[in-house]
Amino acid sequence: MSPSYRVVPYSIASLLDLFAEFSLAVPEDISSKLHSAYFRGYFAEIGAATIVVELDYVDRDYLEDFSNYYVKCFNDYPRKCTRIHFFSVSFSQAEFKAALTEPPLFSIDTLKESYLGFIVVKPLPKTVIGRTCLKTYPEGTGRSFPSKRKYEVNLFGFELSVDSLAYQEQDQVAAACATSALWSIFHRTGSMFHHSFPTPIEITKSATCNLPAERRNLPNNGLTLEQMAHAIRNVGLEPFPVKTPNEYILNSTIYAYLKAGVPIALAILLVDTSKTPHEPVGEGGHAVAVTGFCMKDTIPPPLYGTGFLSRSSRIEKFYVHDDQVGPFARMDIDGVPVIAGGENIFSISSSWKGQNGVIGSVRAVPKAILVPLYHKIRIPFEIVEKIVIAFDLFFETFRQQGYFSLTERIEWDIHLSDVNQLKKEMLSSSDLPNGFREEVLTTKLPRFLWRAIGLHQGRPALELIFDATDIEQGNFFIRPITYRADIFAILKSLSMPPPIQSATDNSPAKWIFQWFRNSL
Amino acid sequence: MGRKSDFEVRMSPEKIAKSAEKWVTSTAGKQALEDALKLINETVAQLSNERFVDSKTLRMPLSI
């Protein structure tokens, strides 16, 4: 009986050899992929020590693409894949065999705790990296991956799991970059909002059935944002597009939804800055799935106009699933522009190589994001932001008059949330005044909420809660949560004088000041 | 309970309400509120314009 598994010590060379062995690709093609350089750094950072190769693996997504496309080719493309598992502890083939054939000689718990995830290798000539679920970079110190979920893995009876978000390379047949980005996104929204998990070919077909491309739909040459929106509707969600011409809008909008766990499609133009003048890469754009972010510990720059301070402006990098690079690839918000037509254009870093062969010499110009939303999340972020910006400016005006004992301007953390998450945080919060916790915990609230947490020196001072399921014309402000009793009393007093009432009633913050005016 | 701080004594709700009444009816106070409203409207309008996705962007091929 031929072996159904193999145990190999991890090294980047052995990994690339396995990619070549279990696909139809030649080693030169494997080593020239950006993924090879990316995985070298990634596995070093997460500490891979051992590989277990699971042969003859049936992968649902590949099987679907196979049955719809590859099986109809004249060439005999194989039906089964290979799944490569990674562990952070070292063990040998003999030790693993012993664990399967008799009571384990090493601890099953060790195997579970050291599991780093897997990569499915597809039996194709070039695009070999299939469904990939790998442990993220360690969270903390500003790094966060809210879009990850648990993947259960059964390896010969061992019940393993990894917290990640599935990633795969585009196969340039059933999927180009846009489909691959959506496929990753749906892995998260499917578990959040209980919709199906379409395969790449199902996504491409649903995107193009009513909005066919000018060229062939299959093999797929890419999608437009409009087509991606159609694919989002096909799983029962609502697409919400936002243009992203500057750092503030990119950061604030992505953060607002990603913090709730919703991964976001980001459409970018790639520009090769190793050329003079800077030159676009290819003829179209590229799509990635934004899956995480990293915040720095410095005061955010104020927004133009009112000087509004948004917590999201602390974001210094996003982590994205870039199907041409790898999972959780970094894109730095580093303030370096690209130059087009003599103008500086906002851009972020990428891991692509320019003509000079240097990783990072291609920069990404964010064009727009597409947020897939459950239909009940009706109030968009910008409406809540508008209200908080208005409230903030009045608050700051009063603070500068000396009405509040706050030494610095409030910084606002605005993000989508749900009632369970809010109450879970309130239950364990040490910032709430005594007696107030029970009131908040027992108040009936809608399922989806917008939270605008006003932070002073990093601690919550005041929070504004909005109903995300209401209609824009209505009063969807629910209530404040005041972490400081003095702020509550002062705001109530300040909302009374008729000239302030008149000014605030003519602003987007009207309902908030009315709430304080009418409160007991 | 504890002793009230100087700030809390100085700025009791009643005193704040009185102080605010006086301030908002002053020239400086009226101007501050007017300026705030104007700045809010300008900032919010600019953000809204910048966020709007035109049809050219929606139809941009993402083909790389």
mmCIF file of all heavy atoms in Angstrom, chain A residues 209-245:
data_model
loop_
_atom_site.group_PDB
_atom_site.id
_atom_site.type_symbol
_atom_site.label_atom_id
_atom_site.label_comp_id
_atom_site.label_asym_id
_atom_site.label_seq_id
_atom_site.Cartn_x
_atom_site.Cartn_y
_atom_site.Cartn_z
ATOM 1 N N CYS A 209 -23.114 36.605 -14.845
ATOM 2 C CA CYS A 209 -24.299 36.072 -15.535
ATOM 3 C C CYS A 209 -25.181 37.186 -16.096
ATOM 4 O O CYS A 209 -25.712 37.070 -17.200
ATOM 5 C CB CYS A 209 -25.089 35.137 -14.635
ATOM 6 S SG CYS A 209 -25.777 35.929 -13.191
ATOM 7 N N ASN A 210 -25.332 38.281 -15.352
ATOM 8 C CA ASN A 210 -26.154 39.383 -15.873
ATOM 9 C C ASN A 210 -25.330 40.564 -16.344
ATOM 10 O O ASN A 210 -25.850 41.488 -16.950
ATOM 11 C CB ASN A 210 -27.120 39.881 -14.787
ATOM 12 C CG ASN A 210 -28.188 38.845 -14.507
ATOM 13 O OD1 ASN A 210 -28.603 38.119 -15.396
ATOM 14 N ND2 ASN A 210 -28.604 38.752 -13.259
ATOM 15 N N LEU A 211 -24.028 40.544 -16.019
ATOM 16 C CA LEU A 211 -23.125 41.627 -16.448
ATOM 17 C C LEU A 211 -21.926 40.989 -17.121
ATOM 18 O O LEU A 211 -20.829 40.992 -16.588
ATOM 19 C CB LEU A 211 -22.642 42.440 -15.227
ATOM 20 C CG LEU A 211 -23.681 43.284 -14.521
ATOM 21 C CD1 LEU A 211 -23.145 43.734 -13.163
ATOM 22 C CD2 LEU A 211 -24.037 44.504 -15.349
ATOM 23 N N PRO A 212 -22.142 40.382 -18.306
ATOM 24 C CA PRO A 212 -21.024 39.677 -18.932
ATOM 25 C C PRO A 212 -19.905 40.632 -19.309
ATOM 26 O O PRO A 212 -20.136 41.798 -19.603
ATOM 27 C CB PRO A 212 -21.652 39.046 -20.186
ATOM 28 C CG PRO A 212 -22.901 39.807 -20.428
ATOM 29 C CD PRO A 212 -23.350 40.364 -19.123
ATOM 30 N N ALA A 213 -18.665 40.107 -19.262
ATOM 31 C CA ALA A 213 -17.506 40.913 -19.652
ATOM 32 C C ALA A 213 -17.501 41.054 -21.162
ATOM 33 O O ALA A 213 -18.160 40.300 -21.880
ATOM 34 C CB ALA A 213 -16.232 40.228 -19.171
ATOM 35 N N GLU A 214 -16.711 42.026 -21.643
ATOM 36 C CA GLU A 214 -16.587 42.206 -23.086
ATOM 37 C C GLU A 214 -15.806 41.051 -23.688
ATOM 38 O O GLU A 214 -15.954 40.730 -24.858
ATOM 39 C CB GLU A 214 -15.874 43.531 -23.390
ATOM 40 C CG GLU A 214 -16.771 44.723 -23.138
ATOM 41 C CD GLU A 214 -15.986 45.962 -22.752
ATOM 42 O OE1 GLU A 214 -14.744 45.934 -22.821
ATOM 43 O OE2 GLU A 214 -16.624 46.952 -22.381
ATOM 44 N N ARG A 215 -14.929 40.457 -22.879
ATOM 45 C CA ARG A 215 -14.195 39.263 -23.343
ATOM 46 C C ARG A 215 -14.826 38.040 -22.688
ATOM 47 O O ARG A 215 -15.906 38.123 -22.118
ATOM 48 C CB ARG A 215 -12.720 39.402 -22.980
ATOM 49 C CG ARG A 215 -12.026 40.493 -23.793
ATOM 50 C CD ARG A 215 -10.598 40.714 -23.371
ATOM 51 N NE ARG A 215 -10.521 41.464 -22.123
ATOM 52 C CZ ARG A 215 -9.378 41.791 -21.535
ATOM 53 N NH1 ARG A 215 -8.227 41.423 -22.046
ATOM 54 N NH2 ARG A 215 -9.363 42.478 -20.419
ATOM 55 N N ARG A 216 -14.126 36.933 -22.731
ATOM 56 C CA ARG A 216 -14.663 35.687 -22.185
ATOM 57 C C ARG A 216 -14.874 35.796 -20.671
ATOM 58 O O ARG A 216 -14.101 36.421 -19.964
ATOM 59 C CB ARG A 216 -13.679 34.544 -22.420
ATOM 60 C CG ARG A 216 -13.353 34.247 -23.856
ATOM 61 C CD ARG A 216 -12.384 33.104 -23.895
ATOM 62 N NE ARG A 216 -13.065 31.901 -23.446
ATOM 63 C CZ ARG A 216 -13.124 30.775 -24.144
ATOM 64 N NH1 ARG A 216 -12.526 30.706 -25.314
ATOM 65 N NH2 ARG A 216 -13.755 29.724 -23.681
ATOM 66 N N ASN A 217 -15.939 35.157 -20.189
ATOM 67 C CA ASN A 217 -16.133 35.045 -18.750
ATOM 68 C C ASN A 217 -15.241 33.948 -18.197
ATOM 69 O O ASN A 217 -14.711 34.065 -17.094
ATOM 70 C CB ASN A 217 -17.605 34.729 -18.418
ATOM 71 C CG ASN A 217 -18.494 35.920 -18.693
ATOM 72 O OD1 ASN A 217 -18.061 37.065 -18.619
ATOM 73 N ND2 ASN A 217 -19.746 35.656 -19.029
ATOM 74 N N LEU A 218 -15.105 32.848 -18.992
ATOM 75 C CA LEU A 218 -14.232 31.748 -18.584
ATOM 76 C C LEU A 218 -13.369 31.355 -19.786
ATOM 77 O O LEU A 218 -13.936 31.100 -20.853
ATOM 78 C CB LEU A 218 -15.049 30.540 -18.108
ATOM 79 C CG LEU A 218 -15.773 30.678 -16.768
ATOM 80 C CD1 LEU A 218 -16.712 29.493 -16.552
ATOM 81 C CD2 LEU A 218 -14.777 30.761 -15.620
ATOM 82 N N PRO A 219 -12.076 31.248 -19.714
ATOM 83 C CA PRO A 219 -11.272 31.566 -18.539
ATOM 84 C C PRO A 219 -11.441 33.035 -18.134
ATOM 85 O O PRO A 219 -11.596 33.893 -18.980
ATOM 86 C CB PRO A 219 -9.822 31.319 -18.992
ATOM 87 C CG PRO A 219 -9.917 30.557 -20.259
ATOM 88 C CD PRO A 219 -11.241 30.848 -20.863
ATOM 89 N N ASN A 220 -11.421 33.280 -16.831
ATOM 90 C CA ASN A 220 -11.750 34.612 -16.339
ATOM 91 C C ASN A 220 -10.556 35.549 -16.380
ATOM 92 O O ASN A 220 -9.474 35.212 -15.898
ATOM 93 C CB ASN A 220 -12.288 34.498 -14.907
ATOM 94 C CG ASN A 220 -12.794 35.832 -14.405
ATOM 95 O OD1 ASN A 220 -12.268 36.402 -13.476
ATOM 96 N ND2 ASN A 220 -13.820 36.345 -15.057
ATOM 97 N N ASN A 221 -10.766 36.741 -16.970
ATOM 98 C CA ASN A 221 -9.704 37.746 -17.043
ATOM 99 C C ASN A 221 -9.849 38.824 -15.981
ATOM 100 O O ASN A 221 -9.116 39.796 -15.997
ATOM 101 C CB ASN A 221 -9.716 38.407 -18.421
ATOM 102 C CG ASN A 221 -9.183 37.461 -19.483
ATOM 103 O OD1 ASN A 221 -8.092 36.917 -19.339
ATOM 104 N ND2 ASN A 221 -9.954 37.247 -20.522
ATOM 105 N N GLY A 222 -10.782 38.641 -15.090
ATOM 106 C CA GLY A 222 -10.966 39.646 -14.064
ATOM 107 C C GLY A 222 -12.411 40.112 -14.016
ATOM 108 O O GLY A 222 -13.215 39.780 -14.889
ATOM 109 N N LEU A 223 -12.740 40.840 -12.980
ATOM 110 C CA LEU A 223 -14.087 41.381 -12.815
ATOM 111 C C LEU A 223 -13.981 42.880 -12.592
ATOM 112 O O LEU A 223 -12.921 43.387 -12.222
ATOM 113 C CB LEU A 223 -14.776 40.744 -11.605
ATOM 114 C CG LEU A 223 -14.916 39.222 -11.568
ATOM 115 C CD1 LEU A 223 -15.496 38.783 -10.221
ATOM 116 C CD2 LEU A 223 -15.791 38.727 -12.705
ATOM 117 N N THR A 224 -15.085 43.570 -12.772
ATOM 118 C CA THR A 224 -15.154 44.979 -12.371
ATOM 119 C C THR A 224 -15.788 45.034 -10.984
ATOM 120 O O THR A 224 -16.341 44.040 -10.503
ATOM 121 C CB THR A 224 -16.027 45.783 -13.338
ATOM 122 O OG1 THR A 224 -17.365 45.246 -13.265
ATOM 123 C CG2 THR A 224 -15.525 45.688 -14.770
ATOM 124 N N LEU A 225 -15.732 46.209 -10.346
ATOM 125 C CA LEU A 225 -16.386 46.369 -9.050
ATOM 126 C C LEU A 225 -17.882 46.114 -9.183
ATOM 127 O O LEU A 225 -18.508 45.547 -8.281
ATOM 128 C CB LEU A 225 -16.150 47.785 -8.503
ATOM 129 C CG LEU A 225 -14.823 48.018 -7.796
ATOM 130 C CD1 LEU A 225 -14.667 49.481 -7.436
ATOM 131 C CD2 LEU A 225 -14.704 47.183 -6.534
ATOM 132 N N GLU A 226 -18.429 46.505 -10.323
ATOM 133 C CA GLU A 226 -19.861 46.313 -10.564
ATOM 134 C C GLU A 226 -20.203 44.815 -10.568
ATOM 135 O O GLU A 226 -21.204 44.379 -9.988
ATOM 136 C CB GLU A 226 -20.204 46.929 -11.916
ATOM 137 C CG GLU A 226 -21.646 47.331 -12.069
ATOM 138 C CD GLU A 226 -21.901 48.051 -13.374
ATOM 139 O OE1 GLU A 226 -20.979 48.168 -14.214
ATOM 140 O OE2 GLU A 226 -23.033 48.478 -13.566
ATOM 141 N N GLN A 227 -19.356 44.036 -11.214
ATOM 142 C CA GLN A 227 -19.577 42.592 -11.262
ATOM 143 C C GLN A 227 -19.368 41.971 -9.881
ATOM 144 O O GLN A 227 -20.085 41.052 -9.474
ATOM 145 C CB GLN A 227 -18.647 41.943 -12.297
ATOM 146 C CG GLN A 227 -19.023 42.272 -13.727
ATOM 147 C CD GLN A 227 -17.979 41.846 -14.728
ATOM 148 O OE1 GLN A 227 -16.778 41.971 -14.494
ATOM 149 N NE2 GLN A 227 -18.414 41.341 -15.874
ATOM 150 N N MET A 228 -18.359 42.477 -9.152
ATOM 151 C CA MET A 228 -18.127 41.972 -7.794
ATOM 152 C C MET A 228 -19.357 42.247 -6.933
ATOM 153 O O MET A 228 -19.766 41.420 -6.116
ATOM 154 C CB MET A 228 -16.890 42.628 -7.173
ATOM 155 C CG MET A 228 -15.583 42.197 -7.808
ATOM 156 S SD MET A 228 -14.177 43.110 -7.153
ATOM 157 C CE MET A 228 -13.896 42.281 -5.598
ATOM 158 N N ALA A 229 -19.953 43.418 -7.134
ATOM 159 C CA ALA A 229 -21.155 43.763 -6.365
ATOM 160 C C ALA A 229 -22.268 42.768 -6.658
ATOM 161 O O ALA A 229 -23.025 42.366 -5.772
ATOM 162 C CB ALA A 229 -21.599 45.184 -6.707
ATOM 163 N N HIS A 230 -22.340 42.345 -7.915
ATOM 164 C CA HIS A 230 -23.365 41.385 -8.300
ATOM 165 C C HIS A 230 -23.145 40.042 -7.602
ATOM 166 O O HIS A 230 -24.097 39.407 -7.141
ATOM 167 C CB HIS A 230 -23.330 41.220 -9.822
ATOM 168 C CG HIS A 230 -24.609 40.737 -10.371
ATOM 169 N ND1 HIS A 230 -25.782 41.465 -10.330
ATOM 170 C CD2 HIS A 230 -24.922 39.571 -10.966
ATOM 171 C CE1 HIS A 230 -26.747 40.761 -10.874
ATOM 172 N NE2 HIS A 230 -26.268 39.614 -11.272
ATOM 173 N N ALA A 231 -21.878 39.630 -7.519
ATOM 174 C CA ALA A 231 -21.558 38.369 -6.832
ATOM 175 C C ALA A 231 -21.911 38.472 -5.348
ATOM 176 O O ALA A 231 -22.351 37.499 -4.738
ATOM 177 C CB ALA A 231 -20.073 38.044 -7.006
ATOM 178 N N ILE A 232 -21.713 39.654 -4.763
ATOM 179 C CA ILE A 232 -22.055 39.860 -3.346
ATOM 180 C C ILE A 232 -23.563 39.734 -3.164
ATOM 181 O O ILE A 232 -24.049 39.096 -2.225
ATOM 182 C CB ILE A 232 -21.526 41.233 -2.867
ATOM 183 C CG1 ILE A 232 -19.997 41.193 -2.768
ATOM 184 C CG2 ILE A 232 -22.154 41.633 -1.541
ATOM 185 C CD1 ILE A 232 -19.347 42.539 -2.501
ATOM 186 N N ARG A 233 -24.316 40.299 -4.079
ATOM 187 C CA ARG A 233 -25.789 40.194 -3.975
ATOM 188 C C ARG A 233 -26.221 38.744 -4.121
ATOM 189 O O ARG A 233 -27.199 38.319 -3.515
ATOM 190 C CB ARG A 233 -26.454 41.011 -5.083
ATOM 191 C CG ARG A 233 -26.555 42.466 -4.774
ATOM 192 C CD ARG A 233 -27.504 43.212 -5.715
ATOM 193 N NE ARG A 233 -27.113 44.607 -5.692
ATOM 194 C CZ ARG A 233 -26.268 45.165 -6.553
ATOM 195 N NH1 ARG A 233 -25.769 44.480 -7.564
ATOM 196 N NH2 ARG A 233 -25.922 46.437 -6.436
ATOM 197 N N ASN A 234 -25.497 37.995 -4.898
ATOM 198 C CA ASN A 234 -25.873 36.608 -5.158
ATOM 199 C C ASN A 234 -25.802 35.743 -3.908
ATOM 200 O O ASN A 234 -26.464 34.705 -3.836
ATOM 201 C CB ASN A 234 -24.973 36.033 -6.244
ATOM 202 C CG ASN A 234 -25.600 34.835 -6.916
ATOM 203 O OD1 ASN A 234 -26.693 34.921 -7.467
ATOM 204 N ND2 ASN A 234 -24.932 33.698 -6.852
ATOM 205 N N VAL A 235 -25.004 36.130 -2.914
ATOM 206 C CA VAL A 235 -24.981 35.352 -1.665
ATOM 207 C C VAL A 235 -25.932 35.956 -0.630
ATOM 208 O O VAL A 235 -25.944 35.542 0.521
ATOM 209 C CB VAL A 235 -23.554 35.218 -1.061
ATOM 210 C CG1 VAL A 235 -22.650 34.437 -1.990
ATOM 211 C CG2 VAL A 235 -22.952 36.560 -0.717
ATOM 212 N N GLY A 236 -26.707 36.947 -1.040
ATOM 213 C CA GLY A 236 -27.712 37.509 -0.136
ATOM 214 C C GLY A 236 -27.239 38.707 0.678
ATOM 215 O O GLY A 236 -27.909 39.122 1.620
ATOM 216 N N LEU A 237 -26.072 39.264 0.311
ATOM 217 C CA LEU A 237 -25.575 40.444 1.018
ATOM 218 C C LEU A 237 -25.747 41.679 0.137
ATOM 219 O O LEU A 237 -26.060 41.571 -1.044
ATOM 220 C CB LEU A 237 -24.090 40.274 1.384
ATOM 221 C CG LEU A 237 -23.753 39.083 2.263
ATOM 222 C CD1 LEU A 237 -22.252 39.029 2.536
ATOM 223 C CD2 LEU A 237 -24.513 39.162 3.587
ATOM 224 N N GLU A 238 -25.528 42.847 0.726
ATOM 225 C CA GLU A 238 -25.627 44.095 -0.019
ATOM 226 C C GLU A 238 -24.235 44.686 -0.199
ATOM 227 O O GLU A 238 -23.489 44.813 0.773
ATOM 228 C CB GLU A 238 -26.497 45.106 0.738
ATOM 229 C CG GLU A 238 -27.966 44.718 0.845
ATOM 230 C CD GLU A 238 -28.661 44.739 -0.500
ATOM 231 O OE1 GLU A 238 -28.198 45.456 -1.406
ATOM 232 O OE2 GLU A 238 -29.667 44.019 -0.651
ATOM 233 N N PRO A 239 -23.877 45.062 -1.435
ATOM 234 C CA PRO A 239 -22.547 45.641 -1.659
ATOM 235 C C PRO A 239 -22.569 47.141 -1.370
ATOM 236 O O PRO A 239 -23.501 47.831 -1.749
ATOM 237 C CB PRO A 239 -22.319 45.393 -3.151
ATOM 238 C CG PRO A 239 -23.691 45.391 -3.741
ATOM 239 C CD PRO A 239 -24.648 44.922 -2.689
ATOM 240 N N PHE A 240 -21.520 47.628 -0.712
ATOM 241 C CA PHE A 240 -21.444 49.050 -0.384
ATOM 242 C C PHE A 240 -20.094 49.566 -0.853
ATOM 243 O O PHE A 240 -19.067 49.292 -0.237
ATOM 244 C CB PHE A 240 -21.618 49.223 1.130
ATOM 245 C CG PHE A 240 -21.474 50.634 1.609
ATOM 246 C CD1 PHE A 240 -22.221 51.656 1.050
ATOM 247 C CD2 PHE A 240 -20.602 50.951 2.626
ATOM 248 C CE1 PHE A 240 -22.087 52.968 1.474
ATOM 249 C CE2 PHE A 240 -20.458 52.264 3.070
ATOM 250 C CZ PHE A 240 -21.199 53.270 2.486
ATOM 251 N N PRO A 241 -20.082 50.316 -1.996
ATOM 252 C CA PRO A 241 -18.803 50.811 -2.514
ATOM 253 C C PRO A 241 -18.479 52.195 -1.958
ATOM 254 O O PRO A 241 -19.373 53.030 -1.756
ATOM 255 C CB PRO A 241 -19.062 50.892 -4.023
ATOM 256 C CG PRO A 241 -20.532 51.139 -4.147
ATOM 257 C CD PRO A 241 -21.195 50.595 -2.920
ATOM 258 N N VAL A 242 -17.200 52.449 -1.735
ATOM 259 C CA VAL A 242 -16.736 53.763 -1.267
ATOM 260 C C VAL A 242 -15.429 54.058 -1.987
ATOM 261 O O VAL A 242 -14.544 53.212 -2.042
ATOM 262 C CB VAL A 242 -16.475 53.766 0.262
ATOM 263 C CG1 VAL A 242 -15.965 55.123 0.731
ATOM 264 C CG2 VAL A 242 -17.727 53.371 1.022
ATOM 265 N N LYS A 243 -15.324 55.288 -2.525
ATOM 266 C CA LYS A 243 -14.058 55.679 -3.160
ATOM 267 C C LYS A 243 -13.048 55.990 -2.058
ATOM 268 O O LYS A 243 -13.417 56.442 -0.971
ATOM 269 C CB LYS A 243 -14.301 56.918 -4.026
ATOM 270 C CG LYS A 243 -13.305 57.081 -5.155
ATOM 271 C CD LYS A 243 -13.828 58.039 -6.194
ATOM 272 C CE LYS A 243 -12.816 58.177 -7.325
ATOM 273 N NZ LYS A 243 -13.227 59.152 -8.322
ATOM 274 N N THR A 244 -11.757 55.791 -2.345
ATOM 275 C CA THR A 244 -10.732 55.958 -1.295
ATOM 276 C C THR A 244 -9.583 56.826 -1.798
ATOM 277 O O THR A 244 -8.475 56.339 -2.024
ATOM 278 C CB THR A 244 -10.184 54.588 -0.865
ATOM 279 O OG1 THR A 244 -9.830 53.849 -2.045
ATOM 280 C CG2 THR A 244 -11.216 53.807 -0.072
ATOM 281 N N PRO A 245 -9.817 58.140 -1.962
ATOM 282 C CA PRO A 245 -8.791 58.994 -2.559
ATOM 283 C C PRO A 245 -7.699 59.446 -1.597
ATOM 284 O O PRO A 245 -6.715 60.031 -2.021
ATOM 285 C CB PRO A 245 -9.603 60.221 -3.011
ATOM 286 C CG PRO A 245 -10.724 60.287 -2.032
ATOM 287 C CD PRO A 245 -11.043 58.885 -1.646
#
